[in-house]
Amino acid sequence: MTTTSRTTDARTRALADGNQIPLLGLGVWQVPNGPTTVNAVRWALELGYRHIDTAQVYANEESVGRALRESGVARDRVFITTKFNPSRKDPAAEAERSLQRLGVDYVDLYLVHWPQGGATRAWPGMQRAQELGYARSIGVSNFGVSELDQVLAAATVPPVVDQVQFSPFEYRRALLKGAQQGNIVAVAYSPLGTGHHLSNQTVQRVAASIGRTPAQVLLRWCLQRGLVVIPKSTHRERIADNAQIFDFTLSDQDMAALDALDRTNGTDRALERTWW
Ligand code: A2P
């Protein structure tokens, strides 16, 4: 065990349903099933990550499960998220298949991956998946404020998370505010802009001025803006680098300089364009 394990492990936030979500997770979008995913997840768990974010469409749940079992970390110490592929019919039946692939009895969080077929289409099935014990918490991803409002109006159990791309360049202030008003925790995917934001001059300047890496600056920005954050990497040293974000603070001035990078005009929408 390293110091990292103890510090990252303790950093959690309460969801509206009372469950706790670790502020930092490893994302495995676009990581192929097999050794690449197994290694990334195993390293993350060794380095103290206690939150792994996968999805049915990533097709790597099997490797996430394998890494979890091989890590020796107890199942109940790790927060696992997967997402319903909304081009499929039944969220509960698909959750059961995810559990088989992951080799676990439940996931901690189950999200509607995107609002295909309308914002409320999958929600009754998501609630059923939770009732059946397949998921401890349920939520959504890629939902803007108008879609969140529709789900909140129709739900018996409200969503507790909305996972969306957030970064200083995608600082969707109105969406963040709308989520907070609905008691929904916003989770930032692609916080490094899939790597593209790391070379930005402002990010690099801030990083150099405080002796941190550009990735740490972008991830720390998320924490200070009230976001849970799930950077992706397949390299051990980067997975380690990305976990060192709890031992420094960005100044108000640096935060303002980063905020000014926003290209969404503070939108309440989750996406610039849809892919379905
Ligand atoms: P790799 O997986 O080869 O390590 P995002 O989380 O925004 O989707 O960004 C992921 C991308 O950023 C991946 O291409 C990943 O590369 C790269 N990346 C992740 N962490 C770091 C880091 N600390 N330094 C440099 N590049 C990183």
Side-chain angles (χ1 to χ4, degrees), residues 160-202:
V160 295
V161 159
D162 189 9
Q163 185 186 119
V164 173
Q165 187 186 11
F166 282 100
S167 81
F169 302 81
E170 287 88 14
Y171 183 18
R172 308 169 194 282
R173 284 172 209 239
L175 175 49
L176 188 54
K177 193 164 164 225
Q180 281 161 351
Q181 281 167 351
N183 222 351
I184 293 167
V185 169
V187 176
Y189 73 71
S190 297
L192 313 176
T194 64
H196 297 290
H197 300 337
L198 296 166
S199 55
N200 174 269
Q201 269 189 2
T202 302

mmCIF file of all heavy atoms in Angstrom, residues 160-202:
data_model
loop_
_atom_site.group_PDB
_atom_site.id
_atom_site.type_symbol
_atom_site.label_atom_id
_atom_site.label_comp_id
_atom_site.label_asym_id
_atom_site.label_seq_id
_atom_site.Cartn_x
_atom_site.Cartn_y
_atom_site.Cartn_z
ATOM 1 N N VAL A 160 -29.258 10.008 -9.711
ATOM 2 C CA VAL A 160 -28.366 10.654 -8.741
ATOM 3 C C VAL A 160 -27.079 11.157 -9.387
ATOM 4 O O VAL A 160 -26.299 11.868 -8.748
ATOM 5 C CB VAL A 160 -28.029 9.731 -7.543
ATOM 6 C CG1 VAL A 160 -29.286 9.449 -6.729
ATOM 7 C CG2 VAL A 160 -27.362 8.439 -7.991
ATOM 8 N N VAL A 161 -26.861 10.785 -10.654
ATOM 9 C CA VAL A 161 -25.645 11.192 -11.371
ATOM 10 C C VAL A 161 -26.004 11.565 -12.800
ATOM 11 O O VAL A 161 -26.895 10.962 -13.399
ATOM 12 C CB VAL A 161 -24.617 10.024 -11.371
ATOM 13 C CG1 VAL A 161 -23.584 10.182 -12.490
ATOM 14 C CG2 VAL A 161 -23.891 9.921 -10.024
ATOM 15 N N ASP A 162 -25.294 12.579 -13.347
ATOM 16 C CA ASP A 162 -25.294 12.819 -14.792
ATOM 17 C C ASP A 162 -23.820 12.876 -15.211
ATOM 18 O O ASP A 162 -23.073 13.747 -14.747
ATOM 19 C CB ASP A 162 -26.003 14.146 -15.124
ATOM 20 C CG ASP A 162 -26.220 14.343 -16.629
ATOM 21 O OD1 ASP A 162 -25.977 13.394 -17.416
ATOM 22 O OD2 ASP A 162 -26.644 15.462 -17.012
ATOM 23 N N GLN A 163 -23.415 11.944 -16.049
ATOM 24 C CA GLN A 163 -22.019 11.912 -16.505
ATOM 25 C C GLN A 163 -21.941 12.555 -17.891
ATOM 26 O O GLN A 163 -22.596 12.112 -18.838
ATOM 27 C CB GLN A 163 -21.514 10.462 -16.548
ATOM 28 C CG GLN A 163 -20.040 10.412 -16.895
ATOM 29 C CD GLN A 163 -19.501 9.004 -17.096
ATOM 30 O OE1 GLN A 163 -19.024 8.665 -18.167
ATOM 31 N NE2 GLN A 163 -19.564 8.189 -16.057
ATOM 32 N N VAL A 164 -21.113 13.601 -17.971
ATOM 33 C CA VAL A 164 -21.067 14.452 -19.165
ATOM 34 C C VAL A 164 -19.611 14.860 -19.370
ATOM 35 O O VAL A 164 -18.816 14.819 -18.429
ATOM 36 C CB VAL A 164 -21.958 15.705 -18.929
ATOM 37 C CG1 VAL A 164 -21.836 16.723 -20.051
ATOM 38 C CG2 VAL A 164 -23.417 15.303 -18.755
ATOM 39 N N GLN A 165 -19.257 15.274 -20.590
ATOM 40 C CA GLN A 165 -17.897 15.799 -20.735
ATOM 41 C C GLN A 165 -17.814 17.199 -20.133
ATOM 42 O O GLN A 165 -18.504 18.119 -20.577
ATOM 43 C CB GLN A 165 -17.414 15.858 -22.189
ATOM 44 C CG GLN A 165 -15.924 16.242 -22.191
ATOM 45 C CD GLN A 165 -15.307 16.485 -23.548
ATOM 46 O OE1 GLN A 165 -16.003 16.569 -24.553
ATOM 47 N NE2 GLN A 165 -13.997 16.616 -23.575
ATOM 48 N N PHE A 166 -16.968 17.309 -19.132
ATOM 49 C CA PHE A 166 -16.672 18.611 -18.529
ATOM 50 C C PHE A 166 -15.161 18.800 -18.515
ATOM 51 O O PHE A 166 -14.393 17.854 -18.306
ATOM 52 C CB PHE A 166 -17.145 18.678 -17.074
ATOM 53 C CG PHE A 166 -18.609 18.905 -16.871
ATOM 54 C CD1 PHE A 166 -19.457 17.852 -16.581
ATOM 55 C CD2 PHE A 166 -19.147 20.190 -16.953
ATOM 56 C CE1 PHE A 166 -20.815 18.054 -16.368
ATOM 57 C CE2 PHE A 166 -20.509 20.409 -16.737
ATOM 58 C CZ PHE A 166 -21.339 19.333 -16.447
ATOM 59 N N SER A 167 -14.730 20.014 -18.718
ATOM 60 C CA SER A 167 -13.326 20.415 -18.570
ATOM 61 C C SER A 167 -13.375 21.944 -18.617
ATOM 62 O O SER A 167 -14.436 22.507 -18.887
ATOM 63 C CB SER A 167 -12.486 19.856 -19.736
ATOM 64 O OG SER A 167 -12.622 20.685 -20.885
ATOM 65 N N PRO A 168 -12.253 22.621 -18.416
ATOM 66 C CA PRO A 168 -12.315 24.083 -18.564
ATOM 67 C C PRO A 168 -12.807 24.502 -19.963
ATOM 68 O O PRO A 168 -13.430 25.557 -20.107
ATOM 69 C CB PRO A 168 -10.860 24.510 -18.345
ATOM 70 C CG PRO A 168 -10.302 23.435 -17.465
ATOM 71 C CD PRO A 168 -10.953 22.162 -17.920
ATOM 72 N N PHE A 169 -12.574 23.647 -20.946
ATOM 73 C CA PHE A 169 -12.987 23.954 -22.326
ATOM 74 C C PHE A 169 -14.457 23.602 -22.553
ATOM 75 O O PHE A 169 -15.077 24.090 -23.493
ATOM 76 C CB PHE A 169 -12.120 23.174 -23.325
ATOM 77 C CG PHE A 169 -10.671 23.464 -23.198
ATOM 78 C CD1 PHE A 169 -9.901 22.842 -22.215
ATOM 79 C CD2 PHE A 169 -10.066 24.389 -24.038
ATOM 80 C CE1 PHE A 169 -8.552 23.130 -22.075
ATOM 81 C CE2 PHE A 169 -8.718 24.674 -23.907
ATOM 82 C CZ PHE A 169 -7.957 24.041 -22.918
ATOM 83 N N GLU A 170 -14.953 22.702 -21.727
ATOM 84 C CA GLU A 170 -16.362 22.303 -21.781
ATOM 85 C C GLU A 170 -16.948 22.577 -20.398
ATOM 86 O O GLU A 170 -17.316 21.656 -19.678
ATOM 87 C CB GLU A 170 -16.489 20.809 -22.145
ATOM 88 C CG GLU A 170 -16.183 20.466 -23.586
ATOM 89 C CD GLU A 170 -14.707 20.176 -23.845
ATOM 90 O OE1 GLU A 170 -13.956 19.970 -22.862
ATOM 91 O OE2 GLU A 170 -14.307 20.159 -25.031
ATOM 92 N N TYR A 171 -16.990 23.837 -20.050
ATOM 93 C CA TYR A 171 -17.466 24.244 -18.722
ATOM 94 C C TYR A 171 -18.942 24.618 -18.870
ATOM 95 O O TYR A 171 -19.278 25.787 -19.058
ATOM 96 C CB TYR A 171 -16.628 25.424 -18.216
ATOM 97 C CG TYR A 171 -16.968 25.902 -16.809
ATOM 98 C CD1 TYR A 171 -17.676 25.118 -15.910
ATOM 99 C CD2 TYR A 171 -16.535 27.163 -16.385
ATOM 100 C CE1 TYR A 171 -17.974 25.566 -14.638
ATOM 101 C CE2 TYR A 171 -16.813 27.624 -15.106
ATOM 102 C CZ TYR A 171 -17.533 26.815 -14.239
ATOM 103 O OH TYR A 171 -17.817 27.285 -12.976
ATOM 104 N N ARG A 172 -19.801 23.581 -18.812
ATOM 105 C CA ARG A 172 -21.232 23.748 -19.059
ATOM 106 C C ARG A 172 -21.864 24.254 -17.762
ATOM 107 O O ARG A 172 -22.510 23.481 -17.043
ATOM 108 C CB ARG A 172 -21.825 22.404 -19.468
ATOM 109 C CG ARG A 172 -21.091 21.732 -20.616
ATOM 110 C CD ARG A 172 -21.527 20.282 -20.818
ATOM 111 N NE ARG A 172 -20.585 19.604 -21.688
ATOM 112 C CZ ARG A 172 -20.549 19.734 -23.008
ATOM 113 N NH1 ARG A 172 -21.436 20.509 -23.619
ATOM 114 N NH2 ARG A 172 -19.649 19.114 -23.727
ATOM 115 N N ARG A 173 -21.675 25.530 -17.516
ATOM 116 C CA ARG A 173 -22.095 26.062 -16.202
ATOM 117 C C ARG A 173 -23.571 25.857 -15.933
ATOM 118 O O ARG A 173 -23.961 25.513 -14.821
ATOM 119 C CB ARG A 173 -21.860 27.577 -16.144
ATOM 120 C CG ARG A 173 -20.438 27.984 -15.961
ATOM 121 C CD ARG A 173 -20.353 29.496 -16.112
ATOM 122 N NE ARG A 173 -19.037 29.835 -16.624
ATOM 123 C CZ ARG A 173 -18.179 30.621 -15.993
ATOM 124 N NH1 ARG A 173 -18.505 31.173 -14.847
ATOM 125 N NH2 ARG A 173 -17.007 30.864 -16.509
ATOM 126 N N ALA A 174 -24.413 26.130 -16.955
ATOM 127 C CA ALA A 174 -25.863 26.023 -16.730
ATOM 128 C C ALA A 174 -26.254 24.566 -16.465
ATOM 129 O O ALA A 174 -27.139 24.300 -15.647
ATOM 130 C CB ALA A 174 -26.628 26.590 -17.915
ATOM 131 N N LEU A 175 -25.580 23.637 -17.130
ATOM 132 C CA LEU A 175 -25.879 22.222 -16.880
ATOM 133 C C LEU A 175 -25.428 21.816 -15.471
ATOM 134 O O LEU A 175 -26.157 21.134 -14.743
ATOM 135 C CB LEU A 175 -25.205 21.335 -17.941
ATOM 136 C CG LEU A 175 -25.323 19.821 -17.748
ATOM 137 C CD1 LEU A 175 -26.756 19.379 -17.481
ATOM 138 C CD2 LEU A 175 -24.768 19.083 -18.965
ATOM 139 N N LEU A 176 -24.252 22.285 -15.080
ATOM 140 C CA LEU A 176 -23.743 21.968 -13.742
ATOM 141 C C LEU A 176 -24.700 22.516 -12.672
ATOM 142 O O LEU A 176 -25.045 21.809 -11.711
ATOM 143 C CB LEU A 176 -22.344 22.572 -13.593
ATOM 144 C CG LEU A 176 -21.554 22.214 -12.347
ATOM 145 C CD1 LEU A 176 -21.436 20.709 -12.155
ATOM 146 C CD2 LEU A 176 -20.150 22.834 -12.419
ATOM 147 N N LYS A 177 -25.168 23.735 -12.897
ATOM 148 C CA LYS A 177 -26.084 24.355 -11.937
ATOM 149 C C LYS A 177 -27.421 23.588 -11.902
ATOM 150 O O LYS A 177 -27.968 23.306 -10.830
ATOM 151 C CB LYS A 177 -26.318 25.810 -12.356
ATOM 152 C CG LYS A 177 -26.977 26.640 -11.328
ATOM 153 C CD LYS A 177 -26.839 28.135 -11.628
ATOM 154 C CE LYS A 177 -27.847 28.890 -10.793
ATOM 155 N NZ LYS A 177 -28.567 29.916 -11.552
ATOM 156 N N GLY A 178 -27.916 23.227 -13.088
ATOM 157 C CA GLY A 178 -29.182 22.484 -13.176
ATOM 158 C C GLY A 178 -29.068 21.141 -12.470
ATOM 159 O O GLY A 178 -29.983 20.719 -11.756
ATOM 160 N N ALA A 179 -27.946 20.465 -12.661
ATOM 161 C CA ALA A 179 -27.744 19.162 -12.007
ATOM 162 C C ALA A 179 -27.729 19.361 -10.491
ATOM 163 O O ALA A 179 -28.415 18.646 -9.751
ATOM 164 C CB ALA A 179 -26.447 18.523 -12.490
ATOM 165 N N GLN A 180 -26.980 20.357 -10.037
ATOM 166 C CA GLN A 180 -26.879 20.601 -8.588
ATOM 167 C C GLN A 180 -28.260 20.898 -7.992
ATOM 168 O O GLN A 180 -28.602 20.404 -6.921
ATOM 169 C CB GLN A 180 -25.907 21.751 -8.308
ATOM 170 C CG GLN A 180 -24.447 21.286 -8.386
ATOM 171 C CD GLN A 180 -23.437 22.418 -8.585
ATOM 172 O OE1 GLN A 180 -23.817 23.574 -8.832
ATOM 173 N NE2 GLN A 180 -22.153 22.087 -8.517
ATOM 174 N N GLN A 181 -29.064 21.684 -8.731
ATOM 175 C CA GLN A 181 -30.407 22.010 -8.232
ATOM 176 C C GLN A 181 -31.279 20.760 -8.130
ATOM 177 O O GLN A 181 -32.160 20.681 -7.286
ATOM 178 C CB GLN A 181 -31.057 23.062 -9.130
ATOM 179 C CG GLN A 181 -30.527 24.454 -8.816
ATOM 180 C CD GLN A 181 -30.900 25.486 -9.872
ATOM 181 O OE1 GLN A 181 -31.413 25.144 -10.943
ATOM 182 N NE2 GLN A 181 -30.628 26.749 -9.590
ATOM 183 N N GLY A 182 -31.030 19.790 -9.012
ATOM 184 C CA GLY A 182 -31.790 18.536 -8.979
ATOM 185 C C GLY A 182 -31.171 17.511 -8.051
ATOM 186 O O GLY A 182 -31.574 16.354 -8.061
ATOM 187 N N ASN A 183 -30.162 17.921 -7.276
ATOM 188 C CA ASN A 183 -29.475 17.004 -6.351
ATOM 189 C C ASN A 183 -28.784 15.863 -7.102
ATOM 190 O O ASN A 183 -28.758 14.725 -6.646
ATOM 191 C CB ASN A 183 -30.482 16.457 -5.341
ATOM 192 C CG ASN A 183 -29.898 16.411 -3.951
ATOM 193 O OD1 ASN A 183 -28.687 16.625 -3.774
ATOM 194 N ND2 ASN A 183 -30.731 16.109 -2.971
ATOM 195 N N ILE A 184 -28.264 16.185 -8.268
ATOM 196 C CA ILE A 184 -27.617 15.206 -9.143
ATOM 197 C C ILE A 184 -26.127 15.541 -9.194
ATOM 198 O O ILE A 184 -25.755 16.686 -9.480
ATOM 199 C CB ILE A 184 -28.240 15.284 -10.560
ATOM 200 C CG1 ILE A 184 -29.705 14.823 -10.513
ATOM 201 C CG2 ILE A 184 -27.431 14.463 -11.566
ATOM 202 C CD1 ILE A 184 -30.496 15.139 -11.762
ATOM 203 N N VAL A 185 -25.279 14.556 -8.909
ATOM 204 C CA VAL A 185 -23.829 14.778 -8.965
ATOM 205 C C VAL A 185 -23.376 14.693 -10.413
ATOM 206 O O VAL A 185 -23.720 13.752 -11.139
ATOM 207 C CB VAL A 185 -23.084 13.734 -8.096
ATOM 208 C CG1 VAL A 185 -21.582 13.763 -8.351
ATOM 209 C CG2 VAL A 185 -23.371 13.989 -6.610
ATOM 210 N N ALA A 186 -22.614 15.695 -10.854
ATOM 211 C CA ALA A 186 -22.081 15.697 -12.220
ATOM 212 C C ALA A 186 -20.717 15.012 -12.217
ATOM 213 O O ALA A 186 -19.848 15.327 -11.406
ATOM 214 C CB ALA A 186 -21.969 17.132 -12.728
ATOM 215 N N VAL A 187 -20.559 14.067 -13.135
ATOM 216 C CA VAL A 187 -19.292 13.338 -13.298
ATOM 217 C C VAL A 187 -18.697 13.758 -14.635
ATOM 218 O O VAL A 187 -19.384 13.754 -15.654
ATOM 219 C CB VAL A 187 -19.521 11.809 -13.266
ATOM 220 C CG1 VAL A 187 -18.225 11.057 -13.543
ATOM 221 C CG2 VAL A 187 -20.118 11.376 -11.923
ATOM 222 N N ALA A 188 -17.412 14.117 -14.608
ATOM 223 C CA ALA A 188 -16.752 14.629 -15.813
ATOM 224 C C ALA A 188 -16.024 13.510 -16.554
ATOM 225 O O ALA A 188 -15.039 12.978 -16.045
ATOM 226 C CB ALA A 188 -15.750 15.716 -15.429
ATOM 227 N N TYR A 189 -16.516 13.178 -17.762
ATOM 228 C CA TYR A 189 -15.722 12.259 -18.588
ATOM 229 C C TYR A 189 -14.859 13.054 -19.544
ATOM 230 O O TYR A 189 -15.117 14.238 -19.782
ATOM 231 C CB TYR A 189 -16.598 11.209 -19.299
ATOM 232 C CG TYR A 189 -17.468 11.649 -20.468
ATOM 233 C CD1 TYR A 189 -16.933 12.011 -21.706
ATOM 234 C CD2 TYR A 189 -18.858 11.636 -20.347
ATOM 235 C CE1 TYR A 189 -17.737 12.362 -22.778
ATOM 236 C CE2 TYR A 189 -19.680 11.988 -21.423
ATOM 237 C CZ TYR A 189 -19.107 12.348 -22.645
ATOM 238 O OH TYR A 189 -19.915 12.694 -23.687
ATOM 239 N N SER A 190 -13.832 12.434 -20.098
ATOM 240 C CA SER A 190 -12.857 13.105 -20.971
ATOM 241 C C SER A 190 -12.417 14.460 -20.411
ATOM 242 O O SER A 190 -12.433 15.470 -21.124
ATOM 243 C CB SER A 190 -13.420 13.283 -22.382
ATOM 244 O OG SER A 190 -13.667 12.030 -22.965
ATOM 245 N N PRO A 191 -11.997 14.486 -19.143
ATOM 246 C CA PRO A 191 -11.596 15.754 -18.520
ATOM 247 C C PRO A 191 -10.312 16.327 -19.119
ATOM 248 O O PRO A 191 -10.010 17.508 -18.917
ATOM 249 C CB PRO A 191 -11.376 15.364 -17.056
ATOM 250 C CG PRO A 191 -10.998 13.916 -17.111
ATOM 251 C CD PRO A 191 -11.836 13.339 -18.213
ATOM 252 N N LEU A 192 -9.567 15.480 -19.851
ATOM 253 C CA LEU A 192 -8.334 15.952 -20.514
ATOM 254 C C LEU A 192 -8.607 16.236 -21.992
ATOM 255 O O LEU A 192 -7.670 16.443 -22.775
ATOM 256 C CB LEU A 192 -7.222 14.903 -20.379
ATOM 257 C CG LEU A 192 -7.017 14.325 -18.974
ATOM 258 C CD1 LEU A 192 -5.962 13.220 -18.984
ATOM 259 C CD2 LEU A 192 -6.633 15.432 -17.982
ATOM 260 N N GLY A 193 -9.923 16.207 -22.363
ATOM 261 C CA GLY A 193 -10.263 16.425 -23.769
ATOM 262 C C GLY A 193 -9.690 15.305 -24.638
ATOM 263 O O GLY A 193 -9.184 15.554 -25.726
ATOM 264 N N THR A 194 -9.776 14.062 -24.116
ATOM 265 C CA THR A 194 -9.110 12.878 -24.714
ATOM 266 C C THR A 194 -7.633 13.168 -25.023
ATOM 267 O O THR A 194 -7.069 12.651 -25.988
ATOM 268 C CB THR A 194 -9.857 12.330 -25.976
ATOM 269 O OG1 THR A 194 -9.830 13.300 -27.008
ATOM 270 C CG2 THR A 194 -11.288 11.958 -25.670
ATOM 271 N N GLY A 195 -7.037 13.997 -24.208
ATOM 272 C CA GLY A 195 -5.608 14.296 -24.324
ATOM 273 C C GLY A 195 -5.321 15.624 -25.014
ATOM 274 O O GLY A 195 -4.241 16.197 -24.853
ATOM 275 N N HIS A 196 -6.312 16.142 -25.752
ATOM 276 C CA HIS A 196 -6.058 17.352 -26.559
ATOM 277 C C HIS A 196 -5.838 18.613 -25.732
ATOM 278 O O HIS A 196 -5.161 19.538 -26.178
ATOM 279 C CB HIS A 196 -7.200 17.584 -27.549
ATOM 280 C CG HIS A 196 -7.344 16.478 -28.551
ATOM 281 N ND1 HIS A 196 -6.430 16.257 -29.544
ATOM 282 C CD2 HIS A 196 -8.279 15.505 -28.673
ATOM 283 C CE1 HIS A 196 -6.792 15.201 -30.260
ATOM 284 N NE2 HIS A 196 -7.908 14.715 -29.744
ATOM 285 N N HIS A 197 -6.433 18.658 -24.536
ATOM 286 C CA HIS A 197 -6.328 19.892 -23.733
ATOM 287 C C HIS A 197 -4.973 20.031 -23.028
ATOM 288 O O HIS A 197 -4.640 21.087 -22.506
ATOM 289 C CB HIS A 197 -7.433 19.949 -22.674
ATOM 290 C CG HIS A 197 -8.823 19.935 -23.246
ATOM 291 N ND1 HIS A 197 -9.122 20.318 -24.532
ATOM 292 C CD2 HIS A 197 -10.003 19.582 -22.673
ATOM 293 C CE1 HIS A 197 -10.428 20.200 -24.736
ATOM 294 N NE2 HIS A 197 -10.981 19.757 -23.630
ATOM 295 N N LEU A 198 -4.193 18.943 -23.037
ATOM 296 C CA LEU A 198 -2.938 18.956 -22.276
ATOM 297 C C LEU A 198 -1.903 19.916 -22.843
ATOM 298 O O LEU A 198 -1.032 20.408 -22.125
ATOM 299 C CB LEU A 198 -2.337 17.537 -22.240
ATOM 300 C CG LEU A 198 -3.190 16.491 -21.501
ATOM 301 C CD1 LEU A 198 -2.699 15.083 -21.805
ATOM 302 C CD2 LEU A 198 -3.167 16.771 -20.010
ATOM 303 N N SER A 199 -2.010 20.198 -24.132
ATOM 304 C CA SER A 199 -0.997 21.065 -24.760
ATOM 305 C C SER A 199 -1.416 22.525 -24.803
ATOM 306 O O SER A 199 -0.680 23.371 -25.329
ATOM 307 C CB SER A 199 -0.700 20.562 -26.176
ATOM 308 O OG SER A 199 -1.913 20.491 -26.891
ATOM 309 N N ASN A 200 -2.578 22.833 -24.253
ATOM 310 C CA ASN A 200 -3.023 24.232 -24.257
ATOM 311 C C ASN A 200 -2.064 25.119 -23.457
ATOM 312 O O ASN A 200 -1.606 24.728 -22.383
ATOM 313 C CB ASN A 200 -4.439 24.310 -23.669
ATOM 314 C CG ASN A 200 -4.898 25.742 -23.517
ATOM 315 O OD1 ASN A 200 -4.706 26.358 -22.474
ATOM 316 N ND2 ASN A 200 -5.466 26.288 -24.573
ATOM 317 N N GLN A 201 -1.816 26.295 -23.969
ATOM 318 C CA GLN A 201 -0.823 27.208 -23.371
ATOM 319 C C GLN A 201 -1.175 27.629 -21.945
ATOM 320 O O GLN A 201 -0.314 27.680 -21.075
ATOM 321 C CB GLN A 201 -0.712 28.474 -24.220
ATOM 322 C CG GLN A 201 0.352 28.366 -25.281
ATOM 323 C CD GLN A 201 0.591 29.717 -25.962
ATOM 324 O OE1 GLN A 201 -0.023 30.730 -25.602
ATOM 325 N NE2 GLN A 201 1.489 29.727 -26.933
ATOM 326 N N THR A 202 -2.452 27.957 -21.750
ATOM 327 C CA THR A 202 -2.862 28.397 -20.405
ATOM 328 C C THR A 202 -2.702 27.257 -19.405
ATOM 329 O O THR A 202 -2.188 27.450 -18.292
ATOM 330 C CB THR A 202 -4.333 28.887 -20.426
ATOM 331 O OG1 THR A 202 -4.428 29.939 -21.380
ATOM 332 C CG2 THR A 202 -4.796 29.362 -19.064
#
